[in-house]
């Protein structure tokens, strides 16, 4: 049986499925949300990470996941911190985890820039509902179409340049960092939501790009 063509290639899909790409992009000079990767089987504990980093309020997520599944925000002095530490220890031989500081300016929203056929298409800002930190609409966030700042466009363009190739689609998610500049939260190159409903020309743009590649 003949398989279909991947226009975000298999190597890109494999690389982007595991969020250790954040650590790798940071090594390339990309400003990312500070990230520590705790690999399966490592002796490093959640307590070790927060002590070494000096973080008191953290977000912990599996390195392979989607839609904020099994993602937690916890303060070091919360009772939940010990429970989460135990959970990570129990799954430590089977699952990699990311530990990041909670970024206060997520309350201003997560900026998502959509790219189609290697070119910027449109952008939305996703503001979490009160007392939440998750930006996905299924958790009640407010989504609106926005025009990204020039700095955001340059940062997203540079990230995709580092990745290389002309991708059929992609989404670059930023949060405003403690320094006021965009920090990469996620780079979504494997079937992301492209928020096509927020730009009248986005769906035709994507359809044309697909047609050109399969034509």
């Amino acid at each position: 049986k003949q398989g279909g063509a991947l226009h975000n290639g298999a190597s890109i899909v494999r690389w982007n499925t595991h969020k250790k790409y954040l650590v790798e992009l940071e090594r390339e000079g990309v400003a990312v949300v500070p990230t520590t990767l705790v690999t399966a089987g490592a002796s490093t504990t959640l307590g070790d990470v927060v002590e070494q980093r000096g973080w008191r309020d953290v977000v912990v997520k599996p390195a392979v996941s989607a839609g904020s599944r099994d993602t937690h925000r916890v303060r070091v002095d919360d009772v939940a911190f010990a429970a989460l530490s135990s959970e990570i220890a129990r799954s430590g031989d089977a699952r990699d985890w990311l530990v990041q500081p909670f970024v206060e300016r997520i309350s201003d929203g997560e900026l998502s820039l959509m790219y189609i056929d290697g070119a910027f298409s449109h952008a939305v800002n996703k503001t979490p509902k009160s007392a939440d930190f998750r930006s996905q609409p299924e958790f009640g966030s407010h989504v609106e179409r926005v025009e990204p700042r020039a700095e955001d466009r340059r940062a997203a363009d540079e990230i995709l340049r580092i990745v290389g190739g002309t991708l059929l689609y992609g989404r670059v998610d930023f949060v405003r960092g403690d320094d006021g500049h965009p920090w990469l939260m996620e780079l979504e190159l494997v079937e992301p939501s492209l928020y096509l409903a927020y730009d009248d020309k986005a769906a035709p743009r994507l359809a044309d790009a697909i047609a050109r590649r399969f034509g």
Side-chain angles (χ1 to χ4, degrees), residues 168-198:
L168 176 60
Y169 56 81
R171 196 183 82 215
V172 185
D173 294 339
F174 289 128
V175 65
R176 196 67 56 196
D178 297 340
D179 59 3
H181 298 297
W183 287 359
L184 180 66
M185 287 197 72
E186 302 274 354
L187 176 61
E188 300 282 1
L189 306 179
V190 184
E191 297 186 335
S193 171
L194 296 176
Y195 295 90
L196 299 177
Y198 290 84

Side-chain angles (χ1 to χ4, degrees), residues 84-105:
L84 183 56
S85 299
S86 297
E87 178 185 342
I88 292 174
R90 285 194 302 271
S91 66
D93 290 334
R95 205 171 197 185
D96 297 342
W97 293 84
L98 299 184
V99 185
Q100 301 172 317
F102 175 70
V103 181
E104 292 286 348
R105 293 190 65 175

